[in-house]
Amino acid sequence: MILGIGTDLANIERIQRTLDRFGDRFRNRVFTDIEQRKAERRADIAGTYAKRWAAKEACSKALGTGLRMGIAWKDMSVTNLTTGQPVMHVTGWAADRLAQMTPPGHRAIIHVTLTDDHPWAQAFVLIEARPLTDTPGLS
C-alpha cells in the first residue's frame, strides 16, 4: 500500500549560488557528512547537492509534512548502493513520522529516484507499506 508520494524540482544554478554565498554553513545545515563527501568527489558538485536537496524536499512531502513539524534537513539523507541506486534514510523526527504513518503489521519502504538535466535536478519519493508476512523479493 502507498503511504505517501512526493516530488521536487531544484534549480542547480540556484544551489550553486547558495553554495557560493554560504559555503560550509549551507552544507553543514542541510547535508550529512556522507552526502557532503559524495558531492565533493563529483565533477558536478552543485548538481549532486541539488539532487539531494530535491530528494529531501520530496521525502518531506511524502511524509505528509513538508519541512515543518520538527523535521530537520539532516533527518533525511541519501546514499547510494554500489550499483548507483539512491537510497533514502530517515532519522529523528522523520523516522518518528514514518513510524506513525506505518500501519501495524507492516514495514515501510522508501523508494527514491533522482535525475538531472542542467539546470534542473528532480527527485521522486514513494513510501510503501508492506505486510511483515511478505517474503522479501516475492512481492
Side-chain angles (χ1 to χ4, degrees):
M1 116 187 27
I2 296 173
L3 298 179
I5 59 171
T7 188
D8 192 68
L9 186 65
N11 185 287
I12 296 168
E13 293 168 358
R14 180 175 152 247
I15 296 296
Q16 182 64 64
R17 288 191 301 273
T18 303
L19 288 165
D20 292 344
R21 183 171 178 196
F22 298 105
D24 285 342
R25 193 168 73 172
F26 171 64
R27 278 187 281 274
N28 293 333
R29 179 173 177 248
V30 176
F31 302 101
T32 65
D33 291 341
I34 292 170
E35 289 173 315
Q36 290 181 46
R37 284 193 301 273
K38 170 82 172 182
E40 298 298 325
R41 287 193 314 261
R42 303 295 298 263
D44 183 9
I45 293 170
T48 302
Y49 279 125
K51 285 186 279 191
R52 278 145 182 77
W53 172 279
K56 292 168 188 267
E57 287 273 9
C59 185
S60 71
K61 293 170 185 174
L63 289 168
T65 64
L67 284 162
R68 63 182 208 287
M69 295 178 60
I71 291 182
W73 287 103
K74 287 184 171 182
D75 284 349
M76 301 163 287
S77 66
V78 177
T79 62
N80 296 84
L81 300 177
T82 56
T83 60
Q85 177 183 346
V87 178
M88 177 65 70
H89 307 274
V90 293
T91 59
W93 201 93
D96 293 344
R97 172 67 181 147
L98 182 61
Q100 291 170 358
M101 294 171 61
T102 306
H106 290 74
R107 64 185 159 94
I109 300 167
I110 302 174
H111 303 276
V112 60
T113 185
L114 309 172
T115 191
D116 65 290
D117 187 4
H118 196 86
W120 301 107
Q122 184 177 29
F124 184 81
V125 171
L126 182 136
I127 302 174
E128 171 190 12
R130 286 191 189 164
L132 291 174
T133 57
D134 277 359
T135 303
L138 296 179
S139 55

